[in-house]
Amino acid sequence: MQLQNLKYKSSDGTLKALENWMYFSIELGIYIKQVSQPIKIYISVPSNLLFSYFFVLGAIDFDFNNPSKEVLLGQYLNLKKGQRILYKTGGNWVAHSILEVSKLPNSDTRAIVVKDRLNSINYIPESRWFNYVRIHDDEITTIRNTRLVRNVYNLTDNDKLKRFYSEEKLQLLMMQNTPQTYLNANKKEWNDFLDVIQFNIDGASFRLSELLFYGSESTFKNLTFIEQNHSETIPREAIAIFVGSSRALRKMDNFDEHKCVFIIDQHDSNEKFEDLQFKIEQDFLMSQSHSVNKEILEYMDEKHVEIPKGVEIFAWLSQS
């Protein structure tokens, strides 16, 4: 997506260029995606809900633009016994449990080993993986029976997405089918106001919700909510976004090894606000972290984006 051409629709229906804070939020989402280390970013803004929409737009656009065949191959090779994949046979997608990843009998060709619908062992050679095998479920369970899956969503059939991203990228993302963006927010509130701003790029109108897939209506997902009462296992390269002081305080310790951004509303209660700041200060000192604010400033300068007035930002990287 050519974000430099992005506009938003105002309340009177006219198209306007993005405001500086909108660009900043989008670019911050892109920046944290590019960093390979588990960077942490604390940012205090006048409206964390609105800011989070633009941040997620930047992060999700990066995901659409940068699917990696190497990362996907790594996921195939690291499939564990009991995980589920979708395997396309005869035009149908069928869910299979993994037995192991090894090689074809009497061959050096790598293969995913599953049990087929006749309960016999089937070898899926590497040459078929990128077009016929989708990651389906990271949960490791006992070996289950095969199951025909009918609501398999094909990203390459989405005309709007095809205007923004190549079919090759959509195909890779679809086969990977593993969210790289995780969100801890008030789910109802976040979804209720998700489309308050509509966008337009090069004559094509869209809503942010049209880029987000939770896996609730189809088999594809690219964003997952972090539930308060459940522990989450997320890929090391993924980011966790916390919207609000309370949510950050409750869950941030579970994501020490991951990239995190804490989007805090300046109107949060003073107690929670101060508690989070104190915790960040203690974690920063105890883990011998160092600030990377300078790197963010340099990145924004390259993009000709200013940090908005009144916005407080602190970024750090642990050395422990």
Side-chain angles (χ1 to χ4, degrees):
M1 187 181 290
Q2 301 297 317
L3 292 177
Q4 65 269 25
N5 299 331
L6 187 64
K7 296 182 179 180
Y8 76 96
K9 188 176 292 186
S10 65
S11 56
D12 62 6
T14 59
L15 294 178
K16 294 186 176 182
L18 296 190
E19 298 173 24
N20 180 66
W21 71 267
M22 299 174 181
Y23 274 122
F24 173 73
S25 183
I26 289 171
E27 288 295 348
L28 192 62
I30 295 172
Y31 174 81
I32 194 172
K33 284 284 185 174
Q34 295 176 351
V35 176
S36 58
Q37 297 169 293
I39 187 176
K40 305 291 188 291
I41 299 177
Y42 164 93
I43 183 161
S44 171
V45 294
S47 172
N48 61 350
L49 182 64
L50 196 55
F51 189 92
S52 71
Y53 293 145
F54 288 88
F55 185 92
V56 167
L57 173 59
I60 290 293
D61 181 64
F62 182 90
D63 291 340
F64 272 113
N65 276 316
N66 296 278
S68 167
K69 196 167 186 176
E70 289 72 25
V71 170
L72 179 53
L73 177 60
Q75 287 183 271
Y76 286 141
L77 293 174
N78 286 296
L79 286 167
K80 301 293 189 296
K81 183 177 181 178
Q83 285 182 246
R84 299 280 272 181
I85 60 168
L86 295 180
Y87 180 41
K88 191 173 185 179
T89 56
N92 294 318
W93 290 94
V94 181
H96 292 76
S97 290
I98 299 296
L99 295 179
E100 63 176 333
V101 179
S102 61
K103 295 180 179 179
L104 291 175
N106 304 315
S107 170
D108 289 331
T109 301
R110 293 184 291 202
I112 296 172
V113 186
V114 297
K115 278 193 174 182
D116 64 18
R117 282 185 278 185
L118 299 177
N119 208 31
S120 58
I121 292 177
N122 190 15
Y123 293 83
I124 307 171
E126 185 177 347
S127 60
R128 295 180 65 83
W129 293 358
F130 291 100
N131 292 308
Y132 296 93
V133 175
R134 292 193 193 191
I135 307 296
H136 187 47
D137 193 344
D138 283 336
E139 183 183 5
I140 298 174
T141 64
T142 56
I143 303 299
R144 291 177 282 175
N145 293 332
T146 58
R147 179 175 63 86
L148 181 66
V149 179
R150 299 186 182 280
N151 65 333
V152 177
Y153 187 73
N154 191 345
L155 284 183
T156 58
D157 289 340
N158 187 311
D159 291 333
K160 186 154 291 187
L161 290 180
K162 285 195 295 184
R163 289 197 63 169
F164 304 141
Y165 311 104
S166 70
E167 287 198 30
E168 180 184 4
K169 290 177 178 178
L170 294 175
Q171 174 75 12
L172 277 177
L173 197 68
M174 184 169 60
M175 292 309 191
Q176 186 173 354
N177 197 23
T178 305
Q180 301 297 314
T181 303
Y182 290 74
L183 181 65
N184 190 205
N186 182 318
K187 190 173 183 178
K188 184 179 186 306
E189 180 185 52
W190 206 84
N191 284 327
D192 282 349
F193 296 100
L194 181 59
D195 289 327
V196 67
I197 294 180
Q198 296 182 38
F199 299 96
N200 187 286
I201 187 165
D202 298 330
S205 297
F206 72 96
R207 297 177 172 85
L208 178 56
S209 59
E210 293 179 279
L211 304 182
L212 305 180
F213 300 84
Y214 303 124
S216 54
E217 296 181 0
S218 72
T219 52
F220 179 71
K221 54 187 174 183
N222 65 353
L223 184 140
T224 295
F225 278 91
I226 299 171
E227 302 294 345
Q228 291 294 341
N229 299 322
H230 296 86
S231 59
E232 297 287 338
T233 301
I234 75 174
R236 285 187 68 87
E237 62 275 10
I239 65 170
I241 304 165
F242 299 85
V243 183
S245 304
S246 297
R247 290 176 176 81
L249 281 166
R250 284 196 295 266
K251 281 283 189 178
M252 62 186 295
D253 287 341
N254 297 348
F255 299 89
D256 284 342
E257 303 301 317
H258 293 86
K259 294 182 284 188
C260 298
V261 60
F262 310 105
I263 305 176
I264 309 306
D265 197 304
Q266 292 171 353
H267 301 100
D268 271 0
S269 71
N270 288 335
E271 181 181 353
K272 294 296 183 183
F273 197 86
E274 292 170 0
D275 285 348
L276 178 61
Q277 288 182 326
F278 178 76
K279 181 171 178 55
I280 288 174
E281 289 171 4
Q282 293 302 302
D283 288 352
F284 179 80
L285 295 173
M286 295 296 291
S287 61
Q288 299 180 332
S289 300
H290 68 277
S291 169
V292 289
N293 274 28
K294 181 181 177 182
E295 286 82 347
I296 292 179
L297 289 172
E298 290 173 347
Y299 174 85
M300 293 300 171
D301 282 344
E302 291 176 3
K303 300 295 181 180
H304 307 291
V305 176
E306 296 179 358
I307 294 182
K309 291 182 180 180
V311 167
E312 196 177 315
I313 184 169
F314 178 61
W316 71 100
L317 194 59
S318 173
Q319 293 178 323
S320 60

